[in-house]
Amino acid sequence: MKKLDCILLVDDDEDCNFFHRRLIKKMGCAERIEEAKNGLEALELIKSERACPIDMILLDINMPVMDGWTFLAEYEKLPLEKRACIVVVMLTSSVNSDDVNHAHSQSVVSAFVNKYLDESRLRSLIESKF
Amino acid sequence: MIIAAFVMLGWFLEIPILTRLNEAFPSMKFNTALSFFLMGLTMWFYQHRVRYLLVIIVCILGISSMFQSILGVDLFLEELFVEDFIENSGLMSSATAICFLLMSVGWIIRDSENRKTIQAAHLLFNTVSIISFLSLIGYTFGIETSDRLEFMSSMALHTSVLFIVISTGSLLPFVNVGISKIFIGANSGSKLAKKMYLLLILAVLFVGFGVVRLARAGLVSLEGSITLTGVLILVVSLIGVTLIAFQLFREEEVRTSLEHKLKRINTELETQVEKRTKELKETVDLLNRTNDSAKIGYWTLDVNTHEVSWSAVTRTIHEVDSSFVPDYSTGVQFYKSEKDKQDITNAVTKAANQGVSWDLELEIITAQGNVKWVRTIGFAEHDSAGNCVKIAGTFQDIHERKMAEIKLSEERQFLQLAIDTIPVNVYAKDLESRKTLVNKQELELLGVSNVEDVLGKNDFDLYPEESAKISRAEDLKVFETGESYESEETSIQFSDGRQEWFITSKIPFKDFQGVVKGLIGVSVNITERKKLEYKLQNYAILEAKAKEMEQLAYIASHDLKEPLLTVKAYISELFADFGHQLDGEARYFQKTIEKGIDRMQTLVDGLLDYSRASAREELKVINVRELLGEVCESLSQTIEASGAIIQKDFELPDIKCYPIKLRSLFQNLISNGIKYQDEQTPKIQVSAEQFDEYWQFCIADNGIGIESQYYDQIFSMFKRLHSRHEYEGTGIGLAQCQKIVEFHNGKIWVESVKGKGSNFYFTIAKDL
């Protein structure tokens, strides 16, 4: 399994962020872990980063201020160099087929996974995308 | 005759009492008795010729007796038959002889044609009566035989009586002749005579009797008795005359007033007759004028000679001049068609033979070649023997009226055709809301084939009461305001439960003076549209509800799911990282928590599934057998594990449905059948049955069954009959099934025998 430079967790649920940060840290699959409480914070974070240090974004759908879908729309407007190397993964508790279908129709979305990830699922996700 | 016979018997057998009645009285002689006997026979044979012979014998007896007593010549006639044993002589008295003589002469001339002669006979009979009456007076006054007039000295009492009887009897046939007329008549003269005669006779009898008794007793002298007699008779006569005069006077008065009255009535009657005659003349004039203007003529037909006579108007109608001589066959030839000719011939024949009158409207071709409608009326006239001798009748030109009628009828037919053709209910009503016109559509609505069953009936006769009340109120409003009732939605609820919807307009129908005479109704049947509207409305509500439900379920399950997943993830990490520090009891806790979380997750997923049952989906035609194949495939693990046998009817239909929902429905029911089992091998039978409007499916299992009190409850949300310990379940599956069936406009129910198995039935509407 390749060790990533940076993983961005975008979720308003702190428990969820804490759990995944702990899991990533425990598995040692990333140098750095960043967090954003909503889509807007995530956008700001990406814009402020020099070059393209973020390898993977784990994105929730239902969030206050800016939800996952709006974030995706805004994200697509970013210059290509800002997002060239980023893998976007939808991480949600939704099993709604509408959500699943919508996610798959978005070209920038690489994968759709249900919360919570455990060691085996995170490993197979990283191995399949990197 | 009987008395005479007795007297003769008395002479033969010598019994004095029969001949003289009283010792002091003279006896009736045998010859007298014989003569009476003969007179009796004469009266018996009063019409027979023999009577003349009999009276001539009596006459001879009388004459001979007279001769003997007057001339003293003994002709030996007196004792010819019997010997007189009482007196010296058997000769009848001269008075008796004269009486017989007069009577016999009277009888000889009595049947004469001559009135004078008959009057003479009368006189004779009356004389007999007077003579015998005088004799009777003698007896009444008790005068001795010797004191009497010599002439009538020995007339017997019964002789006198018999003379009176016979003379009166002889007069009976001649009540209108002579003196008897006075007594028998009913005019005032007769009354006077009857009363005065009776009074005077009785007065003379009683006064005479009384005075004679007084004179005998020596109370009055002979002179005194004569005076007394005269005075008494005078007094009685005066009183009698006065009373009778009063009575006559009153009767005269009554008669006079009656005469006056009669005269007055006569005068009135005459005036009235005059008046009536005048009126009759006027009526006849009017009738003639009316007939002329109404073109009514007369005709007669002599049945025997076939002669026909036509009045002037009848001629005018036929357009023939006064020289034309009609007869029966030419009359018939005027009729246009062969049928009309036949009809009139039949009518005449029937009138002549059976006396049946006729009234026909037929067509003729006039002498000028014009076609005319005429009305002919005929009736038979009979002679006293009841034979038809004449047929008479009227003949009227009704061409204009008939043409107008025909035109009207054609227009009406045209109108009826027009309103029958348009696909709208049309009708007309009068002011009582009775139908006066209906079209075919309206008849069909009422389920009636004959228009006569509807015309003249009102809404209360034709429709249920509630609808009729509403309709009548609408009608009244139109009649009162004279304004149309336009394009209102109305409905009729029929007694069979059928409800029909209409858009109705009611337009007042006015006469030329603008007075409302009724209304014309036009109703467009919008029942189908209304049904569709209702369906759409229902569908919209259902859809909105489904959407809402879906939203709710989605949010609920989503919001529930997040904390659940958090707990699950943390618990899992907790035991992974710190589990080695825990003892055996803590391990048990861990397992319980995990089981609870799993169950919670199943429930949340079930809710999500249920919300998905409302999700929008396209209708598709699918084959149920194929669908069941897919279901069995997805249940393959469960089927294999339980060893269940799934039997599908070979003939399962293609149906229109929401396929994902239907699959979920079958899957739920089949997995239930496998799940709720005792120890034995599950056996599931799926079958289908076709009905008019829906398909009915049955999923039958051999499971534990359901008690009947739970048949309805099991379809409720979260309703579970068994503990989780016995059978796993969320209590959502059957609620979801019900929802899916409702989506297919169907229903779902269960029939079950506890311990034997359950049959789950559901229907899917064909018309989706």
Side-chain angles (χ1 to χ4, degrees):
Chain A
M1 187 181 64
K2 186 188 174 189
K3 188 162 184 174
L4 305 180
D5 286 335
C6 180
I7 294 175
L8 173 60
L9 301 173
V10 187
D11 199 334
D12 60 319
D13 186 348
E14 287 173 22
D15 297 335
C16 188
N17 286 341
F18 176 82
F19 184 87
H20 286 115
R21 176 188 285 277
R22 189 174 175 276
L23 185 66
I24 294 162
K25 212 190 269 172
K26 198 167 96 182
M27 287 173 68
C29 46
E31 293 290 347
R32 188 157 62 97
I33 304 161
E34 293 292 338
E35 279 183 44
K37 282 195 168 42
N38 56 53
L40 196 63
E41 274 186 27
L43 275 178
E44 296 297 323
L45 203 104
I46 294 164
K47 282 178 195 164
S48 65
E49 292 282 336
R50 285 160 286 104
C52 185
I54 298 167
D55 299 306
M56 184 163 78
I57 299 173
L58 294 177
L59 178 68
D60 191 19
I61 294 172
N62 287 315
M63 287 176 291
V65 186
M66 184 186 282
D67 70 6
W69 303 122
T70 319
F71 168 79
L72 283 176
E74 291 301 314
Y75 175 77
E76 281 189 347
K77 292 174 191 164
L78 290 175
L80 196 60
E81 71 272 11
K82 284 283 180 192
R83 55 185 173 95
C85 55
I86 300 177
V87 172
V88 179
V89 174
M90 300 297 287
L91 179 67
T92 169
S93 57
S94 172
V95 287
N96 191 327
S97 55
D98 285 350
D99 289 345
V100 179
N101 292 337
H102 192 210
H104 284 309
S105 70
Q106 304 281 317
S107 55
V108 291
V109 176
S110 301
F112 187 96
V113 291
N114 284 121
K115 286 181 192 173
Y116 283 77
L117 292 172
D118 54 19
E119 277 188 39
S120 64
R121 287 172 67 209
L122 182 59
R123 182 174 289 112
S124 62
L125 179 68
I126 293 171
E127 280 174 354
S128 67
K129 299 298 170 188
F130 296 95
Chain B
M1 239 170 89
I2 292 163
I3 293 171
F6 271 113
V7 174
M8 284 193 288
L9 200 67
W11 281 115
F12 280 122
L13 302 174
E14 302 187 355
I15 304 166
I17 192 73
L18 286 178
T19 63
R20 57 199 294 181
L21 297 178
N22 189 319
E23 298 227 350
F25 296 164
S27 60
M28 187 196 275
K29 299 292 177 283
F30 179 80
N31 284 354
T32 311
L34 180 66
S35 297
F36 275 129
F37 188 75
L38 292 172
M39 277 314 293
L41 281 176
T42 309
M43 289 177 81
W44 188 265
F45 296 109
Y46 74 99
Q47 274 183 328
H48 200 270
R49 274 170 178 280
V50 79
R51 71 179 187 267
Y52 291 110
L53 181 66
L54 294 167
V55 293
I56 286 165
I57 297 170
V58 174
C59 184
I60 292 165
L61 272 173
I63 291 169
S64 64
S65 297
M66 286 247 325
F67 270 117
Q68 230 175 330
S69 56
I70 294 165
L71 304 174
V73 183
D74 192 349
L75 293 172
F76 309 106
L77 276 170
E78 70 274 27
E79 288 177 13
L80 193 62
F81 304 99
V82 288
E83 192 180 343
D84 195 326
F85 57 90
I86 299 166
E87 289 158 29
N88 298 331
S89 173
L91 192 68
M92 68 169 81
S93 74
S94 50
T96 310
I98 288 167
C99 283
F100 276 126
L101 182 62
L102 293 174
M103 196 168 283
S104 55
V105 173
W107 265 94
I108 292 165
I109 62 173
R110 140 183 202 276
D111 291 321
S112 161
E113 294 291 315
N114 191 331
R115 194 175 170 79
K116 286 250 160 80
T117 322
I118 291 170
Q119 280 177 349
H122 256 263
L123 199 60
L124 295 175
F125 290 135
N126 286 334
T127 312
V128 171
S129 296
I130 290 161
I131 293 169
S132 46
F133 182 64
L134 287 174
S135 169
L136 255 186
I137 289 172
Y139 285 106
T140 317
F141 291 178
I143 301 166
E144 296 297 325
T145 313
S146 52
D147 293 344
R148 292 190 217 169
L149 294 170
E150 179 61 22
F151 166 66
M152 47 200 350
S153 59
S154 61
M155 190 186 267
L157 175 60
H158 38 355
T159 308
S160 313
V161 173
L162 280 177
F163 273 127
I164 291 173
V165 170
I166 291 171
S167 65
T168 312
S170 305
L171 282 170
L172 275 178
F174 307 103
V175 289
N176 291 325
V177 182
I179 211 160
S180 46
K181 187 163 73 180
I182 297 169
F183 297 98
I184 311 293
N187 56 39
S188 51
S190 298
K191 279 181 190 165
L192 178 74
K194 270 187 262 181
K195 284 178 182 165
M196 281 307 291
Y197 271 65
L198 190 67
L199 185 71
L200 287 175
I201 288 166
L202 290 175
V204 170
L205 283 175
F206 282 105
V207 171
F209 183 79
V211 172
V212 167
R213 291 284 144 159
L214 288 173
R216 288 228 181 119
L219 290 173
V220 285
S221 64
L222 186 63
E223 294 83 3
S225 67
I226 291 167
T227 314
L228 188 60
T229 308
V231 169
L232 281 174
I233 289 174
L234 186 66
V235 169
V236 171
S237 301
L238 277 174
I239 292 168
V241 167
T242 311
L243 287 172
I244 291 163
F246 266 117
Q247 198 185 351
L248 285 176
F249 182 72
R250 272 202 309 278
E251 280 178 5
E252 188 70 14
E253 265 186 342
V254 172
R255 206 190 71 206
T256 313
S257 86
L258 280 175
E259 269 173 10
H260 277 296
K261 214 167 165 183
L262 198 64
K263 209 170 172 183
R264 209 172 58 237
I265 289 168
N266 266 339
T267 318
E268 278 172 17
L269 207 61
E270 273 167 25
T271 321
Q272 202 142 13
V273 166
E274 205 176 316
K275 201 174 140 199
R276 286 284 149 84
T277 313
K278 202 175 152 216
E279 277 174 9
L280 188 64
K281 193 173 171 296
E282 280 170 2
T283 311
V284 169
D285 284 350
L286 184 68
L287 184 67
N288 280 334
R289 279 205 302 281
T290 312
N291 284 348
D292 284 352
S293 57
K295 298 181 188 168
I296 300 177
Y298 303 96
W299 55 266
T300 58
L301 164 66
D302 189 309
V303 173
N304 299 318
T305 63
H306 278 201
E307 269 172 26
V308 169
S309 86
W310 284 355
S311 76
V313 177
T314 307
R315 285 173 184 279
T316 313
I317 295 170
H318 282 91
E319 295 183 327
V320 294
D321 55 32
S322 54
S323 64
F324 181 80
V325 182
D327 66 13
Y328 178 52
S329 64
T330 52
V332 170
Q333 286 311 312
F334 274 99
Y335 290 95
K336 187 183 164 193
S337 67
E338 286 309 313
K339 189 185 167 294
D340 284 4
K341 284 173 191 169
Q342 197 57 51
D343 283 354
I344 193 71
T345 310
N346 289 345
V348 172
T349 313
K350 239 177 155 184
N353 295 339
Q354 298 163 31
V356 180
S357 56
W358 77 79
D359 183 348
L360 294 169
E361 292 186 355
L362 304 169
E363 268 180 303
I364 59 162
I365 300 175
T366 67
Q368 305 296 321
N370 297 317
V371 175
K372 271 184 190 175
W373 276 95
V374 295
R375 180 183 181 186
T376 163
I377 297 174
F379 40 86
E381 288 178 10
H382 298 89
D383 63 9
S384 53
N387 297 317
C388 175
V389 287
K390 200 169 108 180
I391 299 173
T394 60
F395 200 76
Q396 185 182 8
D397 181 348
I398 55 162
H399 193 66
E400 280 168 30
R401 196 250 293 164
K402 196 73 189 179
M403 290 319 284
E405 238 176 60
I406 291 169
K407 199 168 171 224
L408 199 68
S409 151
E410 279 173 357
E411 273 171 8
R412 206 182 157 88
Q413 273 177 11
F414 176 77
L415 177 71
Q416 189 71 43
L417 185 69
I419 63 168
D420 279 349
T421 316
I422 54 171
V424 167
N425 296 48
V426 180
Y427 50 84
K429 289 177 178 178
D430 64 12
L431 292 175
E432 298 301 318
S433 289
R434 288 180 300 230
K435 291 251 160 70
T436 54
L437 171 86
V438 290
N439 75 341
K440 211 171 79 189
Q441 277 67 29
E442 182 72 4
L443 282 184
E444 279 168 8
L445 172 74
L446 292 165
V448 175
S449 56
N450 191 357
V451 72
E452 302 303 324
D453 295 341
V454 176
L455 293 183
K457 291 190 176 166
N458 64 24
D459 291 344
F460 289 92
D461 301 324
L462 299 169
Y463 305 109
E465 197 183 347
E466 281 307 308
S467 304
K469 270 185 191 164
I470 295 167
S471 176
R472 175 64 179 160
E474 292 164 5
D475 293 358
L476 285 175
K477 203 176 157 195
V478 172
F479 296 147
E480 277 163 22
T481 60
E483 282 167 20
S484 300
Y485 168 92
E486 268 168 26
S487 306
E488 299 286 337
E489 231 172 62
T490 56
S491 83
I492 300 172
Q493 179 86 47
F494 286 95
S495 52
D496 59 5
R498 179 165 60 107
Q499 188 174 29
E500 301 276 348
W501 287 87
F502 300 93
I503 287 185
T504 299
S505 293
K506 292 180 177 179
I507 302 114
F509 168 70
K510 297 175 183 175
D511 67 6
F512 65 96
Q513 286 173 320
V515 179
V516 178
K517 289 285 175 189
L519 61 79
I520 292 167
V522 179
S523 295
V524 181
N525 194 323
I526 53 159
T527 310
E528 282 306 310
R529 204 181 82 188
K530 202 78 186 167
K531 273 185 189 164
L532 210 64
E533 250 175 42
Y534 180 73
K535 218 167 164 180
L536 280 175
Q537 204 178 8
N538 258 10
Y539 189 74
I541 292 169
L542 211 64
E543 205 172 28
K545 264 169 88 176
K547 194 87 192 162
E548 195 184 343
M549 191 70 192
E550 196 180 354
Q551 204 76 25
L552 185 78
Y554 176 76
I555 289 165
S557 53
H558 185 263
D559 289 356
L560 278 172
K561 202 165 179 158
E562 282 217 322
L564 186 65
L565 290 174
T566 308
V567 171
K568 195 184 176 185
Y570 275 85
I571 288 287
S572 169
E573 277 301 301
L574 179 68
F575 288 111
D577 290 358
F578 307 103
H580 59 276
Q581 297 173 14
L582 299 173
D583 61 8
E585 202 174 16
R587 289 269 173 215
Y588 175 73
F589 287 173
Q590 178 201 353
K591 278 209 165 62
T592 310
I593 291 165
E594 280 174 346
K595 260 184 353 201
I597 289 167
D598 282 345
R599 207 167 56 244
M600 186 69 175
Q601 200 166 1
T602 318
L603 271 171
V604 171
D605 287 342
L607 265 182
L608 272 173
D609 276 345
Y610 182 77
S611 75
R612 252 177 242 139
S614 306
R616 194 187 295 248
E617 195 186 345
E618 291 294 313
L619 277 168
K620 264 183 202 161
V621 177
I622 55 104
N623 182 277
V624 175
R625 207 179 156 79
E626 280 172 21
L627 186 88
L628 280 172
E630 290 170 30
V631 170
C632 290
E633 208 170 295
S634 64
L635 287 174
S636 57
Q637 274 189 339
T638 325
I639 293 168
E640 272 169 34
S642 62
I645 303 159
I646 314 291
Q647 291 180 324
K648 290 164 277 189
D649 256 15
F650 193 73
E651 300 259 340
L652 287 169
D654 289 347
I655 62 167
K656 196 178 182 188
C657 65
Y658 301 100
I660 296 172
K661 293 186 179 71
L662 196 67
R663 186 188 298 141
S664 171
L665 174 61
F666 275 114
Q667 193 162 325
N668 258 309
L669 292 174
I670 291 169
S671 63
N672 275 354
I674 297 168
K675 185 160 66 179
Y676 296 100
Q677 274 292 348
D678 273 337
E679 303 298 303
Q680 59 177 325
T681 311
K683 214 170 172 183
I684 316 274
Q685 170 81 34
V686 182
S687 58
E689 198 178 338
Q690 183 169 206
F691 289 86
D692 278 352
E693 295 185 341
Y694 54 84
W695 284 96
Q696 180 177 305
F697 293 91
C698 174
I699 288 99
D701 64 49
N702 60 341
I704 54 172
I706 301 159
E707 282 173 59
S708 59
Q709 71 255 39
Y710 301 117
Y711 283 0
D712 289 334
Q713 289 181 25
I714 54 168
F715 296 103
S716 306
M717 191 69 143
F718 299 124
K719 184 72 198 178
R720 288 175 47 82
L721 300 181
H722 307 279
S723 68
R724 271 185 300 279
H725 179 69
E726 291 172 298
Y727 299 100
E728 278 289 337
T730 58
I732 296 173
L734 284 176
Q736 190 182 346
C737 288
Q738 171 133 5
K739 189 155 190 93
I740 292 168
V741 170
E742 280 167 7
F743 252 89
H744 291 88
N745 287 345
K747 49 184 183 165
I748 185 167
W749 71 98
V750 68
E751 288 169 12
S752 176
V753 179
K754 178 84 177 161
K756 296 266 178 183
S758 308
N759 290 0
F760 279 88
Y761 296 94
F762 66 89
T763 63
I764 304 288
K766 287 177 175 174
D767 173 29
L768 282 171

